[in-house]
């Protein structure tokens, strides 16, 4: 087997609270009947070629205590008279006297905001905020029930692309032969996505999504966009502020992504973040009686790297006929570093693998990708994740540059870094990136709260610092805590100023340390 960046490409930056909600909390009961929406579209003046979109009559229907609707949007906002796509939208109505609407995005790219709001609306915002705000979730273009991206006929094709272990001896890591094999793998995936998706594949980048959000803002009757974005959702939010600063309302960006980070810089941020989180896990692990590692922290980290290299060279067969290699084990580890309540499960996975058992590791990797027992995938979040990333930042294709980047990544993350390096899936993408990473200042925008966790694995704290500093109206809340995303997790130091801002418009006047 050769290491690839397929594992890296599939590391979504989704709210850690989402992982908890999906596995642990049942949806709240919803009212049996729902009255008509209390809003009307703003009716604002827009360019003539956009009037049919901003003036459309959405057929909102009661779908179990929430409103559901389908919105038409241009496939390409720079050429709105061409093809049209559909956006799936869900609105959970305010539980009390309505003050407005808050648009929510859980991250990804590829997570379904419509599903989140439908299932977990009462957990995404503090009850005091939910009382006064409709909560609006949507499936970004290409995702879920919106006009979708697809990259296969048979889900086995995607599964094999992720986990199948090539026959024969593995080439030397980062050799020309190794990188050529990875490029060939990336080419297969790119060709499959283009074949099954068609022209939409060129128009799913974040700037297109931000324009969709402005359309949704107007259709739910809001003159300004109130917004809560988590993880990758913060990049959508900052991009919206870049494109529509005059329409920014009360915006909160939790677990921030730096909009000026290149493909390499984003990878470096993430590798260092997961290395930090794994080190914190090891500190906790060694303090228990169930830790599968022994000795000092340095010893345990070295044993981890040895374990990943061991299954790379000698994969572990499991009962269903699969073989656990380093890519699947890496995803199983990373997927359990988003919150400290996952650490007990990670101890079990690592203990099993050290004992030659791969079932629990595969179960974690399968769950992360939404693999159903019948071999199908629960959604298209993986394909969407890669497609959006490929349009958001130019890929690195030069082998010498890839090797130089790999050296920096492995210096920053000696334990997990080797699983972040190589040819990225985007290296063979059929379309050039449609977004250039750049600083966003959003002059004239209302205050924008940026939240960063000091031990966030997926979006490192430094990114929140940088985003808050570059935004002219940015205000930073720093949180000394584990996990990915911090709002509405029971920390009053975080929740109180955010709730106050949503309810009154009064933002913190300076940075807050929690």
């Amino acid at each position: 087997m050769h290491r690839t960046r397929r594992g890296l490409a599939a590391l979504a930056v989704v709210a850690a609270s989402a992982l908890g909600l999906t596995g642990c909390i049942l949806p709240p009961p919803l009212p049996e009947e729902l009255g008509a929406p209390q809003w009307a579209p703003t009716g604002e003046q827009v360019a003539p070629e956009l009037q049919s979109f901003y003036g459309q009559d959405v057929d909102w229907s009661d779908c179990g205590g929430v409103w559901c609707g389908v919105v038409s949007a241009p496939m390409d906002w720079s050429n709105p008279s061409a093809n049209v796509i559909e956006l799936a939208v869900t609105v959970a109505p305010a539980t009390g006297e309505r003050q407005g609407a808050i648009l929510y995005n859980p991250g990804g790219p590829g997570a379904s905001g419509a599903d989140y709001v439908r299932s977990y609306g009462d957990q995404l915002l503090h009850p005091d905020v939910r009382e006064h705000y409709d909560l609006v979730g949507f499936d970004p273009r290409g995702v879920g029930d919106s006009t979708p991206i697809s990259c296969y006929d048979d889900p086995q094709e995607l599964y094999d692309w992720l986990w199948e272990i090539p026959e024969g001896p593995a080439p030397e890591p980062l050799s020309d032969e190794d990188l050529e094999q990875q490029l060939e793998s990336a080419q297969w995936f790119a060709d499959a996505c283009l074949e099954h998706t068609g022209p939409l594949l060129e128009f799913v980048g974040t700037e297109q999504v931000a324009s969709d959000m402005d359309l949704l803002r107007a259709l739910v009757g809001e003159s300004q966009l109130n917004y809560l974005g988590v993880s990758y959702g913060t990049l959508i939010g900052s991009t919206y502020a870049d494109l529509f600063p005059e329409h920014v309302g009360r915006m909160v960006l939790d677990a921030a992504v730096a909009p000026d980070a290149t493909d390499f810089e984003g990878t470096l941020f993430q590798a260092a973040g997961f290395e930090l989180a794994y080190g914190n896990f090891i500190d906790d692990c060694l303090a228990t009686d169930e830790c599968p590692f022994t000795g000092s922290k340095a010893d345990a980290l070295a044993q981890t790297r040895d374990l990943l290299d061991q299954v790379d060279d000698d994969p572990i067969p499991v009962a269903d006929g699969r073989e656990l290699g380093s890519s699947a084990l890496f995803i199983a580890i990373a997927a359990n570093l988003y919150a400290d309540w996952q650490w007990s499960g990670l101890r079990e996975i690592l203990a099993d693998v050290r004992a030659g058992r791969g079932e629990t590791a595969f179960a974690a990797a399968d769950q992360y990708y939404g693999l159903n027992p019948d071999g199908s995938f629960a959604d298209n979040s993986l394909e969407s994740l890669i497609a959006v990333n490929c349009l958001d930042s130019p890929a690195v294709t030069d082998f010498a540059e890839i090797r130089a980047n790999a050296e920096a990544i492995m210096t920053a993350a000696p334990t997990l870094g080797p699983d972040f390096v190589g040819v990225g899936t985007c290296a063979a993408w059929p379309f050039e990136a449609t977004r250039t990473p750049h600083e966003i200042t959003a002059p004239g925008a209302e205050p924008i709260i940026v939240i960063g966790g000091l031990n966030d694995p997926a979006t490192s704290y430094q990114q929140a610092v940088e985003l808050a500093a570059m935004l002219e109206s940015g205000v930073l809340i720093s949180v000394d805590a584990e996990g990915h995303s911090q709002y509405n997790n029971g920390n009053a130091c975080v929740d109180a100023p955010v709730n106050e801002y949503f309810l009154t418009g009064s933002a913190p006047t300076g940075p807050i340390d929690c």
Side-chain angles (χ1 to χ4, degrees), residues 114-130:
D115 280 351
Y116 271 72
V117 167
R118 183 182 300 112
S119 299
Y120 311 116
D122 286 354
Q123 282 82 48
L124 301 176
L125 294 171
H126 189 277
D128 291 346
V129 180
R130 276 286 293 117

Side-chain angles (χ1 to χ4, degrees), residues 257-431:
V257 173
D260 60 340
T262 64
D263 175 62
F264 160 64
E265 289 167 340
T267 301
L268 184 62
F269 275 133
Q270 197 169 69
F274 276 97
E275 186 83 7
L276 173 63
Y278 188 75
N280 292 340
F281 158 75
I282 288 296
D283 287 334
D284 179 81
C285 182
L286 291 173
T288 72
D289 295 330
E290 297 84 23
C291 190
F293 303 115
T294 58
S296 66
K297 181 177 183 178
D299 293 333
L301 293 174
Q303 291 163 30
T304 302
R305 187 64 253 167
D306 289 343
L307 187 63
L308 284 159
D309 291 338
Q310 176 185 328
V311 298
D312 196 18
D313 296 332
D314 188 16
I316 298 174
V318 298
D320 62 8
R322 297 184 290 177
E323 290 186 316
L324 181 78
S326 64
S327 291
L329 177 55
F330 167 68
I331 290 296
I333 292 171
N336 282 281
L337 291 174
Y338 282 76
D340 54 8
W341 55 261
Q342 299 175 287
W343 289 354
S344 60
L346 182 53
R347 289 198 303 270
E348 179 183 356
I349 289 169
L350 291 168
D352 283 352
V353 174
R354 294 205 82 186
R357 300 185 297 269
E359 283 78 5
T360 54
F362 259 130
D366 289 347
Q367 181 182 32
Y368 190 76
Y369 286 132
L371 186 72
N372 295 319
D374 65 359
S376 64
F377 288 85
D379 53 42
N380 71 338
S381 57
L382 173 59
E383 303 101 286
S384 301
L385 165 72
I386 295 171
V388 174
N389 284 342
C390 290
L391 293 177
D392 272 2
S393 182
V396 178
T397 58
D398 179 76
F399 285 5
E401 186 176 355
I402 289 170
R403 293 186 185 102
N405 291 345
E407 184 176 348
I409 289 167
M410 289 188 287
T411 298
T415 307
L416 302 180
D419 296 276
F420 282 89
V421 303
V423 174
T425 309
C426 299
W429 205 243
F431 301 104

Side-chain angles (χ1 to χ4, degrees), residues 46 54 75 81 109 114 143 185 201 249 274 333 341 413 417 486 488 499:
V46 294
Y54 277 74
M75 179 179 289
S81 61
V143 174
S185 174
L201 199 64
F274 276 97
I333 292 171
W341 55 261
Q486 302 298 329
N488 207 34
N499 296 338

